[in-house]
Amino acid sequence: MRPRPAAPPLPVALLALLLPLLSLLCACAGPYQYYEGTGTHGVTTTEASGDWIGADGTRLSLRQDGTALIEHLDGKDFDFDLGWRLSGTGTWEFDDRESGQQLVLDLTARTSTDTRPGATAAPATSPGPPLAPYRWRLEMDRDRQERLVLFFFYGDPDAGNTNVLERPAPTTP
């Protein structure tokens, strides 16, 4: 009869049990989870007002009176995965936080819904887009030329994917 091997010391056995659990927990902690904002402050209504464009025909027009025209704007966070985009009218305002200013955009009247180009159709059991209201919290940052840029996170928050809106390029006559 062979002697039984001695049991590993308790700390080693405990570590062997906890290590897989710890790695699983860390895998869920993506960049968005620890996002602390851009630190951008001092953006004025005049600076943010005007036209903004994004991918696949997204357009946003922010008026100085706090109203907005929204065209083909994708859903935020996991709503993006469903593939729908919203158009309509709404309102906007700033939310100044310690981590930086955000532009809060509310869709108050939906005029249409469409599907993002290349999006796979959502299962029939998936909820459709909300009628209204729908709220985006757009972060504000500055590019290398100090121009204002707007963005929001989409898809799995752990992935840190951003939907960026920029000023359209000037047209020359």
Side-chain angles (χ1 to χ4, degrees):
M1 188 158 133
R2 291 185 3 203
R4 293 177 66 188
L10 183 59
V12 173
L14 184 60
L15 183 61
L17 290 172
L18 291 179
L19 194 56
L21 179 61
L22 183 60
S23 64
L24 178 63
L25 289 174
C26 289
C28 295
Y32 180 64
Q33 195 165 7
Y34 300 109
Y35 180 72
E36 295 182 12
T38 63
T40 300
H41 292 279
V43 177
T44 65
T45 300
T46 302
E47 185 179 14
S49 295
D51 294 329
W52 297 88
I53 58 170
D56 299 319
T58 298
R59 294 191 64 78
L60 178 61
S61 183
L62 303 175
R63 299 183 187 113
Q64 287 203 11
D65 67 359
T67 60
L69 178 62
I70 301 160
E71 297 178 50
H72 313 293
L73 192 55
D74 293 308
K76 64 186 191 279
D77 299 328
F78 284 113
D79 287 346
F80 178 87
D81 297 336
L82 299 176
W84 48 257
R85 311 168 90 197
L86 298 173
S87 295
T89 58
T91 60
W92 68 279
E93 64 185 4
F94 293 126
D95 185 7
D96 200 355
R97 298 174 172 207
E98 186 177 331
S99 60
Q101 274 179 297
Q102 290 182 329
L103 190 144
V104 180
L105 176 64
D106 287 311
L107 175 80
T108 55
R110 184 174 77 178
T111 56
S112 69
T113 303
D114 64 312
T115 303
R116 183 178 63 255
T120 56
T125 57
S126 295
L131 295 176
Y134 189 82
R135 174 171 278 182
W136 292 267
R137 287 189 159 274
L138 289 91
E139 303 291 333
M140 295 186 282
D141 203 0
R142 303 221 179 256
D143 65 13
R144 291 182 182 160
Q145 289 78 35
E146 292 297 311
R147 293 179 299 219
L148 188 63
V149 175
L150 306 175
F151 67 94
F152 64 93
F153 292 95
Y154 70 86
D156 183 347
D158 291 336
N161 297 318
T162 55
N163 192 329
V164 179
L165 300 169
E166 299 176 303
R167 297 286 187 179
T171 56
T172 54

